Structure formats: structure tokens, C-alpha cells
Amino acid sequence: MIATFKQTFESLKNLDYGVQIKKMTVGQTLSYWSKYVLLIGILGLIIGIGAVVYFAPQTPKLITENVPDVQFEIKQGKLTTNQKLPFTWQDNESSIYIDETKIIIKSPDGKSPEVKFADIKEDFSFNKMVIANWVANNQTLLLVLGIVLVLVLVLVIGLFGVLGQLFQMALWTVGFWILAIVLKKNLKYLETLKFVIMASVPALAFDIFGLPLLSMAVLAFYAGVWIYRLPTKNK
């Protein structure tokens, strides 16, 4: 990566770097760009796993201090709770009704199944301390699930991010290819794509922090300047 960082520094300070880019293949520029994408993914993975390791042991305390104190118990076929009963929630096509003896759920298709607490054979109770105690007693499972979730999120976000970037590169290339034709630069579409890929690297820094306008400005500046400062083709 040190050589890659040096190449990036050289490309940013040298506005005539387009001559070097033109000599590269599309594969070489994609390889250069993908190293930064991979680096961002690894950093995201490290931060995510670090957050899981840090917050997992604190989860029981966070639940105790922040989760609303909702309690309910089903005993001998009746519901007791510290919330007001009967409870009713209604949407345009759905509704839920709960009282001491039953739950009625009305679905959009018009059906209203009823669950009677008397049909529940075993008594049980539930409150935030039940959740906190379970989390405290299952820290290893919580860590594993958290790390797996981080891995899945990084892979999914990374996949869609890369596909989105490649699509944007293709669109940017059309514009810069037209610019190259107007400026009479000897560039084909795929050659123009190399400039866009290389300019996408410094733009990534702004994408990470959610600054798309600055990202586009950086990409447009470097790709445009590199192309503009290329030698003009002979007539």
C-alpha cells in the first residue's frame, strides 16, 4: 500500500499526470482503485467489530437504563401488566386489541384471528430485566451475532457501493469523452474511463463522510484537468 499511497500523492500534485494515466491499462487503474475500496472496507470492518466488542458487555446496563419499563405476565389464563388495558392500536386496514383475556388482530384481508390467554398452558412473565439477564448470560452468542451482522453489513454495503461507483464512472466517462473530443485529445471511451477511475480515488475520501457534492467536484476537477493538459492530437 505504501507504493499505492506514493502513486496517489504523485497523481494529486502533478496536474500533468494524465500522460502517465494514458499509458496504464483499464485493469491497472481498476486495481489501483480497488485497493482503496478494500482498505475502506477493512477499516469499516475493524470499526464495526470494535464497536461490537466495546458495547456488547455494556448492553445489559444500556437495556436497564434506556428500555421502557414495560411488564406483563400471563398467569392462569389472564394477562396482568403495568400498562393500561384494554390496549388498542389501529391503522387504515389493520388493528390490534388486547385485554386481560385475549388478543384480537385484524389483518388487511379482513380476517380477525383471536388468541385467548387461557389457551396458553404455561405461565410466564416478561420485562426489561428478563432481556437484560438473558443478554448478560449470553455474551459470547451476542458477540458472535454482532460480528456476523457487521460482516454482512460491510459485504452488502460494499457490494452495492462498488456497483454504484462503477455505474457512476460509466456515466462520468461519457461526459469526459465528449470533453476530450471537443478539446481534440486522442482518447477513446475506455481510455477516458481510466482518467475517471483514477480521479475517483481522491473523491472516495468525501464519499466516506457523506459529502457527495465535494466528491463530484474533486472527481470532475482532476479528471478534467488531467485530460485538458494532455497533448492535443495531430490534425
Coordinates of all heavy atoms in Angstrom, one line a residue, residues 85-150:
L85 N -55.0 -1.2 30.2 CA -55.8 -2.2 29.4 C -57.3 -1.7 29.4 O -57.7 -1.1 30.4 CB -55.7 -3.6 30.0 CG -54.3 -4.3 29.8 CD1 -54.4 -5.6 30.5 CD2 -54.0 -4.5 28.3
P86 N -58.0 -2.0 28.3 CA -57.6 -2.7 27.1 C -56.7 -1.7 26.3 O -56.8 -0.5 26.3 CB -58.9 -3.0 26.4 CG -59.8 -1.9 26.9 CD -59.5 -1.7 28.3
F87 N -55.8 -2.4 25.5 CA -54.9 -1.7 24.6 C -55.4 -1.8 23.2 O -55.8 -2.9 22.7 CB -53.5 -2.2 24.7 CG -52.6 -1.7 23.6 CD1 -52.0 -0.5 23.7 CD2 -52.3 -2.5 22.5 CE1 -51.1 0.0 22.7 CE2 -51.5 -2.0 21.5 CZ -50.9 -0.8 21.6
T88 N -55.5 -0.7 22.4 CA -56.0 -0.7 21.1 C -55.0 0.0 20.2 O -54.6 1.2 20.5 CB -57.4 -0.1 20.9 OG1 -58.3 -0.8 21.8 CG2 -57.9 -0.2 19.5
W89 N -54.7 -0.6 19.1 CA -53.9 0.1 18.0 C -54.6 -0.1 16.7 O -55.0 -1.2 16.4 CB -52.5 -0.5 17.9 CG -51.7 0.1 16.8 CD1 -50.9 1.2 16.8 CD2 -51.5 -0.4 15.5 NE1 -50.3 1.5 15.6 CE2 -50.7 0.4 14.8 CE3 -52.0 -1.6 14.9 CZ2 -50.4 0.2 13.4 CZ3 -51.7 -1.8 13.5 CH2 -50.9 -0.9 12.8
Q90 N -54.7 0.9 15.9 CA -55.4 0.8 14.7 C -54.7 1.6 13.5 O -54.3 2.7 13.7 CB -56.8 1.4 14.8 CG -57.7 1.1 13.6 CD -59.2 1.3 13.9 OE1 -59.6 1.7 15.0 NE2 -60.1 1.1 12.9
D91 N -54.6 0.9 12.4 CA -54.1 1.5 11.2 C -55.3 1.6 10.2 O -56.4 1.3 10.6 CB -52.9 0.7 10.6 CG -52.1 1.5 9.6 OD1 -52.4 2.6 9.3 OD2 -51.2 0.9 9.1
N92 N -55.0 2.0 9.0 CA -56.1 2.1 8.0 C -56.8 0.8 7.8 O -58.0 0.7 7.7 CB -55.5 2.6 6.6 CG -55.0 4.0 6.7 OD1 -55.5 4.8 7.5 ND2 -54.0 4.3 5.9
E93 N -56.0 -0.3 7.7 CA -56.6 -1.6 7.4 C -56.3 -2.7 8.4 O -56.8 -3.8 8.3 CB -56.1 -2.1 6.0 CG -56.4 -1.2 4.9 CD -55.9 -1.8 3.5 OE1 -55.1 -2.7 3.6 OE2 -56.3 -1.3 2.5
S94 N -55.5 -2.4 9.4 CA -55.2 -3.3 10.5 C -55.5 -2.8 11.8 O -55.5 -1.5 12.0 CB -53.7 -3.7 10.3 OG -53.4 -4.2 9.0
S95 N -55.6 -3.7 12.8 CA -55.8 -3.2 14.2 C -55.4 -4.3 15.1 O -55.4 -5.5 14.8 CB -57.3 -2.8 14.4 OG -58.1 -3.9 14.3
I96 N -55.1 -3.9 16.4 CA -54.8 -4.9 17.4 C -55.5 -4.5 18.7 O -55.5 -3.3 19.1 CB -53.2 -4.9 17.7 CG1 -52.5 -5.3 16.5 CG2 -52.9 -5.9 18.9 CD1 -50.9 -5.2 16.7
Y97 N -56.2 -5.5 19.3 CA -56.9 -5.2 20.5 C -56.4 -6.2 21.6 O -56.4 -7.4 21.3 CB -58.4 -5.4 20.3 CG -59.2 -5.3 21.6 CD1 -59.6 -4.1 22.1 CD2 -59.6 -6.5 22.2 CE1 -60.3 -4.1 23.3 CE2 -60.3 -6.5 23.4 CZ -60.7 -5.2 23.9 OH -61.4 -5.2 25.1
I98 N -56.0 -5.7 22.7 CA -55.6 -6.6 23.8 C -56.3 -6.2 25.1 O -56.4 -5.1 25.5 CB -54.1 -6.4 24.1 CG1 -53.3 -6.7 22.8 CG2 -53.6 -7.4 25.2 CD1 -51.8 -6.4 22.9
D99 N -56.9 -7.3 25.8 CA -57.4 -7.1 27.1 C -56.9 -8.2 28.0 O -55.9 -8.8 27.7 CB -58.9 -7.0 27.1 CG -59.6 -8.3 26.6 OD1 -58.9 -9.4 26.6 OD2 -60.8 -8.3 26.2
E100 N -57.5 -8.4 29.2 CA -56.9 -9.3 30.1 C -57.0 -10.7 29.7 O -56.3 -11.6 30.2 CB -57.6 -9.1 31.5 CG -57.4 -7.8 32.1 CD -58.1 -7.7 33.5 OE1 -59.0 -8.5 33.7 OE2 -57.8 -6.8 34.2
T101 N -57.9 -11.0 28.7 CA -58.1 -12.4 28.4 C -57.8 -12.8 27.0 O -57.7 -14.0 26.7 CB -59.6 -12.8 28.6 OG1 -60.4 -11.9 27.7 CG2 -60.0 -12.5 30.1
K102 N -57.5 -11.8 26.1 CA -57.3 -12.2 24.7 C -56.6 -11.1 23.9 O -56.5 -10.0 24.4 CB -58.7 -12.5 24.0 CG -59.6 -11.3 24.0 CD -61.0 -11.7 23.4 CE -62.0 -10.6 23.5 NZ -62.3 -10.1 24.9
I103 N -56.2 -11.6 22.7 CA -55.6 -10.6 21.7 C -56.4 -10.9 20.4 O -56.6 -12.0 20.0 CB -54.1 -10.9 21.4 CG1 -53.3 -10.7 22.7 CG2 -53.6 -9.9 20.3 CD1 -51.8 -11.0 22.5
I104 N -56.9 -9.8 19.8 CA -57.6 -9.9 18.5 C -56.8 -9.0 17.5 O -56.5 -7.8 17.7 CB -59.0 -9.4 18.6 CG1 -59.8 -10.2 19.6 CG2 -59.7 -9.4 17.2 CD1 -61.2 -9.7 19.8
I105 N -56.4 -9.7 16.4 CA -55.6 -9.0 15.4 C -56.4 -9.0 14.1 O -56.7 -10.0 13.6 CB -54.2 -9.7 15.2 CG1 -53.4 -9.7 16.5 CG2 -53.4 -9.0 14.1 CD1 -52.2 -10.5 16.4
K106 N -56.7 -7.8 13.6 CA -57.4 -7.7 12.4 C -56.4 -7.4 11.3 O -55.7 -6.4 11.3 CB -58.4 -6.5 12.4 CG -59.3 -6.4 11.2 CD -60.3 -5.2 11.3 CE -61.0 -5.1 9.9 NZ -62.0 -4.0 10.0
S107 N -56.4 -8.3 10.3 CA -55.4 -8.1 9.2 C -56.1 -7.4 8.0 O -57.3 -7.3 7.9 CB -54.9 -9.5 8.7 OG -56.0 -10.3 8.4
P108 N -55.3 -6.9 7.0 CA -55.8 -6.2 5.8 C -56.8 -7.0 5.0 O -57.6 -6.5 4.3 CB -54.6 -5.9 5.0 CG -53.5 -5.8 6.0 CD -53.8 -6.9 7.0
D109 N -56.7 -8.4 5.1 CA -57.6 -9.2 4.3 C -59.0 -9.4 5.0 O -59.8 -10.1 4.5 CB -57.0 -10.6 4.0 CG -56.6 -11.3 5.3 OD1 -57.0 -10.9 6.4 OD2 -55.9 -12.4 5.2
G110 N -59.1 -8.7 6.1 CA -60.4 -8.8 6.8 C -60.6 -9.8 7.9 O -61.5 -9.9 8.7
K111 N -59.6 -10.7 8.0 CA -59.6 -11.8 9.0 C -59.2 -11.2 10.4 O -58.4 -10.3 10.5 CB -58.7 -12.9 8.6 CG -59.1 -13.6 7.3 CD -58.2 -14.8 7.0 CE -58.6 -15.5 5.7 NZ -57.6 -16.6 5.4
S112 N -59.9 -11.8 11.4 CA -59.6 -11.3 12.8 C -59.3 -12.5 13.7 O -60.2 -12.8 14.5 CB -60.8 -10.4 13.3 OG -61.0 -9.3 12.4
P113 N -58.2 -13.1 13.6 CA -57.9 -14.2 14.5 C -57.8 -13.8 16.0 O -57.4 -12.7 16.2 CB -56.6 -14.7 14.0 CG -55.9 -13.6 13.3 CD -57.1 -12.8 12.7
E114 N -58.3 -14.6 16.8 CA -58.3 -14.3 18.3 C -57.4 -15.3 19.0 O -57.5 -16.5 18.8 CB -59.7 -14.4 18.8 CG -59.9 -14.1 20.3 CD -61.3 -14.1 20.7 OE1 -62.2 -13.5 20.0 OE2 -61.6 -14.7 21.8
V115 N -56.5 -14.8 19.9 CA -55.7 -15.6 20.7 C -56.2 -15.5 22.2 O -56.1 -14.3 22.7 CB -54.2 -15.3 20.6 CG1 -53.4 -16.1 21.5 CG2 -53.7 -15.4 19.1
K116 N -56.6 -16.5 22.8 CA -57.1 -16.5 24.2 C -55.9 -16.9 25.1 O -55.3 -17.9 24.8 CB -58.3 -17.4 24.4 CG -59.5 -16.9 23.6 CD -60.7 -17.8 23.9 CE -62.0 -17.4 23.2 NZ -63.1 -18.2 23.5
F117 N -55.7 -16.1 26.1 CA -54.6 -16.4 27.0 C -54.9 -17.7 27.8 O -54.0 -18.3 28.3 CB -54.4 -15.2 28.0 CG -54.0 -14.0 27.3 CD1 -54.6 -12.8 27.6 CD2 -53.0 -14.0 26.4 CE1 -54.3 -11.6 27.0 CE2 -52.6 -12.8 25.8 CZ -53.2 -11.6 26.1
A118 N -56.1 -18.1 27.9 CA -56.5 -19.3 28.6 C -55.9 -20.5 27.8 O -55.8 -21.6 28.4 CB -58.0 -19.4 28.7
D119 N -55.7 -20.4 26.5 CA -55.1 -21.5 25.7 C -53.6 -21.6 25.9 O -53.1 -22.6 25.5 CB -55.4 -21.2 24.2 CG -56.9 -21.3 23.9 OD1 -57.7 -21.9 24.7 OD2 -57.3 -20.6 23.0
I120 N -53.0 -20.7 26.6 CA -51.5 -20.8 26.8 C -51.3 -21.6 28.1 O -51.8 -21.2 29.2 CB -50.9 -19.4 27.0 CG1 -51.1 -18.6 25.7 CG2 -49.4 -19.5 27.3 CD1 -50.6 -17.1 25.7
K121 N -50.7 -22.7 28.0 CA -50.7 -23.7 29.1 C -49.7 -23.3 30.2 O -49.9 -23.5 31.3 CB -50.3 -25.1 28.5 CG -51.2 -25.6 27.4 CD -52.7 -25.7 28.0 CE -53.6 -26.2 26.9 NZ -55.0 -26.3 27.3
E122 N -48.6 -22.7 29.8 CA -47.6 -22.3 30.8 C -47.6 -20.9 31.1 O -47.7 -20.0 30.3 CB -46.2 -22.7 30.3 CG -46.0 -24.2 30.0 CD -44.5 -24.5 29.6 OE1 -43.7 -23.6 29.6 OE2 -44.3 -25.7 29.3
D123 N -47.5 -20.6 32.4 CA -47.4 -19.2 32.9 C -46.0 -18.6 32.5 O -45.0 -19.3 32.6 CB -47.7 -19.1 34.4 CG -49.1 -19.6 34.8 OD1 -49.9 -19.6 33.9 OD2 -49.3 -19.9 35.9
F124 N -46.0 -17.4 32.2 CA -44.7 -16.7 32.0 C -44.8 -15.2 32.2 O -45.9 -14.6 32.1 CB -44.1 -17.0 30.6 CG -44.8 -16.3 29.5 CD1 -44.3 -15.1 29.0 CD2 -45.9 -16.9 28.9 CE1 -44.9 -14.5 27.9 CE2 -46.6 -16.3 27.8 CZ -46.1 -15.1 27.4
S125 N -43.7 -14.6 32.4 CA -43.7 -13.1 32.6 C -42.6 -12.5 31.8 O -41.6 -13.2 31.4 CB -43.5 -12.8 34.1 OG -42.2 -13.3 34.6
F126 N -42.7 -11.2 31.5 CA -41.7 -10.6 30.7 C -41.5 -9.1 31.1 O -42.5 -8.4 31.3 CB -42.1 -10.7 29.2 CG -41.1 -10.1 28.2 CD1 -40.1 -10.9 27.8 CD2 -41.2 -8.8 27.8 CE1 -39.2 -10.3 26.9 CE2 -40.3 -8.2 26.9 CZ -39.3 -9.0 26.5
N127 N -40.3 -8.7 31.2 CA -40.0 -7.3 31.4 C -38.5 -7.0 31.0 O -37.8 -8.0 30.5 CB -40.2 -6.9 32.9 CG -39.3 -7.8 33.8 OD1 -38.1 -7.9 33.7 ND2 -40.0 -8.5 34.7
K128 N -38.1 -5.8 31.1 CA -36.8 -5.5 30.6 C -35.6 -6.2 31.3 O -34.6 -6.4 30.7 CB -36.5 -4.0 30.6 CG -36.5 -3.3 32.0 CD -36.2 -1.8 31.8 CE -36.1 -1.2 33.2 NZ -35.9 0.3 33.0
M129 N -35.9 -6.6 32.6 CA -34.8 -7.3 33.3 C -34.7 -8.7 32.8 O -33.5 -9.2 32.8 CB -35.2 -7.3 34.8 CG -35.2 -6.0 35.5 SD -33.6 -5.1 35.2 CE -32.4 -6.3 35.9
V130 N -35.7 -9.3 32.2 CA -35.6 -10.6 31.6 C -34.6 -10.5 30.4 O -33.8 -11.3 30.2 CB -37.0 -11.1 31.1 CG1 -36.8 -12.4 30.3 CG2 -37.9 -11.3 32.3
I131 N -34.8 -9.4 29.6 CA -33.9 -9.2 28.4 C -32.5 -9.0 28.9 O -31.5 -9.5 28.4 CB -34.4 -8.0 27.6 CG1 -35.9 -8.2 27.1 CG2 -33.5 -7.8 26.4 CD1 -36.4 -7.0 26.4
A132 N -32.4 -8.1 29.9 CA -31.0 -7.7 30.4 C -30.3 -9.0 30.9 O -29.1 -9.1 30.7 CB -31.1 -6.6 31.5
N133 N -31.0 -9.8 31.7 CA -30.4 -11.0 32.2 C -30.0 -12.0 31.2 O -28.9 -12.6 31.2 CB -31.3 -11.7 33.2 CG -31.5 -10.8 34.5 OD1 -30.6 -10.1 34.9 ND2 -32.6 -11.0 35.2
W134 N -30.9 -12.1 30.1 CA -30.5 -13.0 29.0 C -29.3 -12.6 28.3 O -28.4 -13.4 28.0 CB -31.7 -13.1 28.1 CG -31.5 -14.1 27.0 CD1 -31.8 -15.5 27.0 CD2 -30.8 -13.9 25.7 NE1 -31.4 -16.1 25.8 CE2 -30.8 -15.1 25.0 CE3 -30.3 -12.8 25.1 CZ2 -30.3 -15.3 23.8 CZ3 -29.7 -12.9 23.9 CH2 -29.7 -14.2 23.2
V135 N -29.2 -11.3 28.0 CA -28.1 -10.7 27.3 C -26.8 -10.9 28.2 O -25.7 -11.3 27.7 CB -28.3 -9.2 27.0 CG1 -27.0 -8.6 26.5 CG2 -29.4 -9.0 26.0
A136 N -26.9 -10.7 29.5 CA -25.7 -10.8 30.4 C -25.2 -12.3 30.4 O -24.0 -12.5 30.5 CB -26.1 -10.3 31.8
N137 N -26.1 -13.2 30.3 CA -25.8 -14.6 30.3 C -25.4 -15.2 29.0 O -25.0 -16.4 28.9 CB -26.9 -15.4 31.0 CG -27.2 -15.1 32.4 OD1 -26.3 -14.8 33.1 ND2 -28.5 -15.1 32.8
N138 N -25.5 -14.4 27.9 CA -25.2 -14.9 26.6 C -24.3 -14.0 25.8 O -24.5 -13.7 24.7 CB -26.5 -15.1 25.8 CG -27.4 -16.3 26.4 OD1 -27.2 -17.4 26.0 ND2 -28.3 -15.9 27.3
Q139 N -23.3 -13.5 26.5 CA -22.4 -12.5 25.9 C -21.6 -13.1 24.7 O -21.5 -12.4 23.7 CB -21.4 -12.1 27.0 CG -21.9 -11.1 28.0 CD -22.2 -9.7 27.3 OE1 -21.3 -9.1 26.8 NE2 -23.5 -9.3 27.3
T140 N -21.2 -14.4 24.8 CA -20.5 -15.0 23.6 C -21.4 -15.0 22.4 O -20.9 -14.7 21.3 CB -20.0 -16.4 24.0 OG1 -19.2 -16.3 25.1 CG2 -19.2 -17.0 22.8
L141 N -22.6 -15.5 22.6 CA -23.6 -15.5 21.5 C -23.8 -14.1 20.9 O -23.9 -13.9 19.7 CB -24.9 -16.2 21.9 CG -26.0 -16.2 20.9 CD1 -25.6 -17.1 19.7 CD2 -27.3 -16.8 21.5
L142 N -23.9 -13.1 21.8 CA -24.2 -11.8 21.4 C -23.0 -11.2 20.6 O -23.2 -10.6 19.5 CB -24.4 -10.9 22.6 CG -24.9 -9.5 22.3 CD1 -26.3 -9.5 21.7 CD2 -24.9 -8.6 23.6
L143 N -21.8 -11.5 21.0 CA -20.6 -11.1 20.2 C -20.6 -11.8 18.9 O -20.3 -11.1 17.9 CB -19.3 -11.5 21.0 CG -19.0 -10.6 22.2 CD1 -17.9 -11.2 23.0 CD2 -18.6 -9.2 21.7
V144 N -20.8 -13.1 18.8 CA -20.8 -13.8 17.5 C -21.9 -13.2 16.6 O -21.6 -12.9 15.4 CB -21.0 -15.3 17.7 CG1 -21.2 -16.0 16.4 CG2 -19.9 -15.9 18.5
L145 N -23.1 -13.0 17.1 CA -24.2 -12.5 16.2 C -23.8 -11.0 15.8 O -24.1 -10.7 14.6 CB -25.5 -12.4 17.0 CG -26.1 -13.8 17.3 CD1 -27.3 -13.7 18.2 CD2 -26.4 -14.6 16.0
G146 N -23.2 -10.2 16.7 CA -22.8 -8.9 16.3 C -21.8 -8.8 15.3 O -21.9 -8.1 14.3
I147 N -20.8 -9.7 15.4 CA -19.7 -9.7 14.4 C -20.2 -10.2 13.1 O -19.9 -9.7 12.0 CB -18.5 -10.6 14.9 CG1 -17.8 -10.0 16.1 CG2 -17.5 -10.9 13.8 CD1 -16.8 -10.8 16.8
V148 N -21.1 -11.2 13.1 CA -21.7 -11.7 11.8 C -22.5 -10.6 11.2 O -22.4 -10.4 9.9 CB -22.6 -13.0 12.1 CG1 -23.4 -13.3 10.9 CG2 -21.7 -14.1 12.5
L149 N -23.3 -9.9 12.0 CA -24.1 -8.8 11.4 C -23.2 -7.7 10.8 O -23.5 -7.2 9.7 CB -24.9 -8.2 12.5 CG -25.8 -7.0 12.1 CD1 -26.8 -7.4 11.1 CD2 -26.5 -6.4 13.4
V150 N -22.1 -7.4 11.5 CA -21.1 -6.4 10.9 C -20.6 -6.9 9.6 O -20.5 -6.2 8.6 CB -20.0 -6.1 11.9 CG1 -18.9 -5.3 11.2 CG2 -20.5 -5.4 13.1

